[in-house]
Amino acid sequence: MSGNIELVEEYVAFLQDNLEEILPGLNTILQAALMYHLDVGDILHTFSEQIDEFGSYEDAENVSYYYSYCYHLALYYRKYDRLQDAVRLTIQAMQLANQSSNDGQFKRCTALFESLRQSATVEQISEYRKMLMQCLGEYETDRHFIVKSVNE
């Protein structure tokens, strides 16, 4: 296990020298943390200023990386019982997946949200439902049915 930690530390040093790689790099670190049960809270804190800028990215590649980052961070937070943060990031990832018209990613976020539903606030559930309703688009006449189904 210590070999994994050393490898992550080397990667963090690389990211500090290559700021343009922080978003894909943190995504890789989160995936490693999930796979090898690593605590990477200090690493996330180290790059908190750069992380705050991720939401301003608009090009397709960075939006894709940001989706993946949000999704994996939500999984990471779920694993460490930071459930409110996990729900918030799941909704954010879902919005990015929808923005990118990536149905597969949207489906994964929906499944993740449902696994976290008990920890979601009323506002978060409302936001989730609103996103689902937007997916219906022209089929607004089915709105009552969908809302009833989601509430059950």
Side-chain angles (χ1 to χ4, degrees):
M1 183 82 84
S2 66
N4 293 329
I5 293 169
E6 290 170 5
L7 189 60
V8 170
E9 288 173 354
E10 287 177 30
Y11 198 58
V12 168
F14 168 79
L15 292 178
Q16 288 173 323
D17 292 337
N18 298 279
L19 296 178
E20 70 281 357
E21 296 296 325
I22 290 176
L23 179 54
L26 287 178
N27 187 43
T28 301
I29 287 171
L30 284 169
Q31 290 176 37
L34 289 164
M35 189 178 300
Y36 297 109
H37 311 287
L38 302 173
D39 181 353
V40 295
D42 289 343
I43 294 169
L44 295 172
H45 181 73
T46 298
F47 294 107
S48 61
E49 286 182 34
Q50 291 83 4
I51 291 169
D52 290 341
E53 297 173 13
F54 292 168
S56 65
Y57 295 157
E58 295 181 6
D59 62 285
E61 183 178 25
N62 278 326
V63 168
S64 178
Y65 279 128
Y66 189 40
Y67 157 79
S68 189
Y69 168 81
C70 290
Y71 179 78
H72 288 104
L73 187 56
L75 290 173
Y76 177 81
Y77 282 158
R78 182 179 72 166
K79 183 175 185 169
Y80 286 96
D81 289 325
R82 290 183 55 181
L83 301 179
Q84 274 298 303
D85 290 326
V87 171
R88 177 182 52 79
L89 283 158
T90 300
I91 290 171
Q92 193 168 356
M94 184 177 272
Q95 289 167 338
L96 291 164
N98 194 37
Q99 173 186 333
S100 302
S101 299
N102 191 316
D103 293 343
Q105 292 173 346
F106 192 88
K107 184 169 55 173
R108 285 175 40 182
C109 290
T110 302
L112 181 55
F113 183 88
E114 289 300 330
S115 77
L116 295 163
R117 178 185 278 278
Q118 297 298 325
S119 301
T121 65
V122 171
E123 293 82 14
Q124 289 169 325
I125 292 172
S126 176
E127 192 172 349
Y128 170 72
R129 287 185 186 139
K130 189 182 299 181
M131 269 190 286
L132 293 179
M133 296 309 301
Q134 289 170 349
C135 291
L136 287 176
E138 65 198 63
Y139 303 106
E140 290 188 36
T141 56
D142 292 338
R143 214 175 256 223
H144 175 73
F145 173 76
I146 295 295
V147 170
K148 184 178 181 226
S149 298
V150 171
N151 285 334
E152 293 175 352

